[in-house]
Amino acid sequence: MIGKLNHVAIAVPDLEKAANTYRETLGAKVSAPHPVPAHGVTVVFVELPNTKIELLHPLGDKSPIAGFLEKNAGGGIHHICFEVEDVVAAGETLKAAGARVLGDGAPKIGAHGNPVLFLHPKDFFGTLVEIEQVPAA
Amino acid sequence: MIGKLNHVAIAVPDLEKAANTYRETLGAKVSAPHPVPAHGVTVVFVELPNTKIELLHPLGDKSPIAGFLEKNAGGGIHHICFEVEDVVAAGETLKAAGARVLGDGAPKIGAHGNPVLFLHPKDFFGTLVEIEQVPAA
């Protein structure tokens, strides 16, 4: 079912500093910050040859990553995202297998404009898993 | 400097259960368990089209992931690994930029037979970073 690893998302307390570290210390290609108000985050994309790292910082009062940064003040890996062809079908298959889909179970439009679902980390060994519907290339 | 994301490593308390979840629930291609005594882990490789997930479980008395699983009993993402062309040169560049290389600073042979270094998570926003020398394809 799952296809490519679309991205690894890392929550960081200082987005400019993290972007500079990835750009200057690690020598990666790093985007400008993209505010995504609907998701309560500002994102910097680190483009690698085969996938992306997304550096996330809270945006607004109800950011879903604010609590994570309270518990992990220095930052940390927040989630990983796998691509699927059909996120509704994938969600049904996962639920039938006993995995919990977060929220109301309906896909939301993610930061890349594609429908996404998040799966409960307790069902995936402490890893918050996002699945994103990405049309076949 | 950094190239591809070589893998995301996830420490898990039950390797067989985690392998089954990735194989059956997520429908991924999953290897048999590979014991790597020199690194104190048994590894299951989850092969994605663009990178790998490595499921890690402690092996032996001095496993470097035993402490992590004591703190995160349900499991969790342990590290991410970026490919570099020359791990010694990369280590020198990183040290010059103020990043801390773990251990004695000399590369060790990693689970794939290539020289690797680990970088201090506090210098990378709570993310333990491995760099692995992978010859250009």
Side-chain angles (χ1 to χ4, degrees), chain B:
Chain B
M1 179 171 62
I2 56 170
K4 289 183 183 174
L5 180 75
N6 186 276
H7 62 267
V8 177
I10 301 177
V12 299
D14 182 332
L15 195 55
E16 187 179 347
K17 190 176 172 193
N20 279 342
T21 294
Y22 272 82
R23 184 187 294 112
E24 289 165 25
T25 307
L26 291 171
K29 186 177 174 187
V30 173
S31 80
H34 291 262
V36 189
H39 287 263
V41 291
T42 302
V43 185
V44 163
F45 298 97
V46 178
E47 292 175 39
L48 303 175
N50 60 333
T51 188
K52 291 187 294 290
I53 305 292
E54 296 190 3
L55 304 173
L56 307 181
H57 190 72
L59 176 67
D61 293 340
K62 292 179 182 170
S63 174
I65 64 164
F68 180 88
L69 280 173
E70 273 170 30
K71 284 182 210 151
N72 305 276
I77 299 175
H78 185 261
H79 68 265
I80 56 177
C81 174
F82 298 122
E83 297 181 3
V84 296
E85 285 183 20
D86 180 334
V87 77
V88 173
E92 291 304 319
T93 301
L94 288 161
K95 277 187 269 188
R100 285 163 283 182
V101 172
L102 299 186
D104 62 7
K108 296 199 168 25
I109 297 303
H112 314 130
N114 294 323
V116 304
L117 286 172
F118 281 88
L119 309 176
H120 200 301
K122 286 201 176 164
D123 296 330
F124 295 93
F125 319 102
T127 302
L128 177 61
V129 173
E130 179 182 13
I131 54 172
E132 173 177 344
Q133 180 170 308
V134 176

Side-chain angles (χ1 to χ4, degrees), chain A:
Chain A
M1 180 169 63
I2 57 170
K4 289 182 184 175
L5 181 76
N6 186 275
H7 62 267
V8 177
I10 300 177
V12 299
D14 183 332
L15 195 56
E16 188 179 346
K17 190 175 172 193
N20 280 342
T21 295
Y22 271 82
R23 185 186 294 112
E24 289 165 26
T25 307
L26 291 172
K29 186 177 175 188
V30 173
S31 80
H34 291 260
V36 189
H39 286 263
V41 292
T42 302
V43 185
V44 164
F45 298 97
V46 178
E47 291 175 38
L48 303 176
N50 60 336
T51 189
K52 291 187 294 291
I53 305 292
E54 297 189 4
L55 304 172
L56 307 180
H57 189 74
L59 176 67
D61 293 337
K62 292 179 183 169
S63 175
I65 63 165
F68 180 88
L69 280 172
E70 273 169 30
K71 284 182 212 152
N72 305 275
I77 299 175
H78 185 261
H79 68 266
I80 56 177
C81 175
F82 298 121
E83 298 181 2
V84 295
E85 285 185 21
D86 180 334
V87 78
V88 172
E92 292 304 320
T93 300
L94 288 161
K95 277 186 271 189
R100 285 164 283 182
V101 173
L102 299 185
D104 62 8
K108 295 199 169 28
I109 297 303
H112 313 131
N114 294 324
V116 304
L117 285 173
F118 282 88
L119 309 177
H120 200 300
K122 286 200 176 165
D123 296 331
F124 296 93
F125 319 103
T127 303
L128 177 60
V129 173
E130 181 182 13
I131 55 172
E132 175 177 344
Q133 180 169 309
V134 175

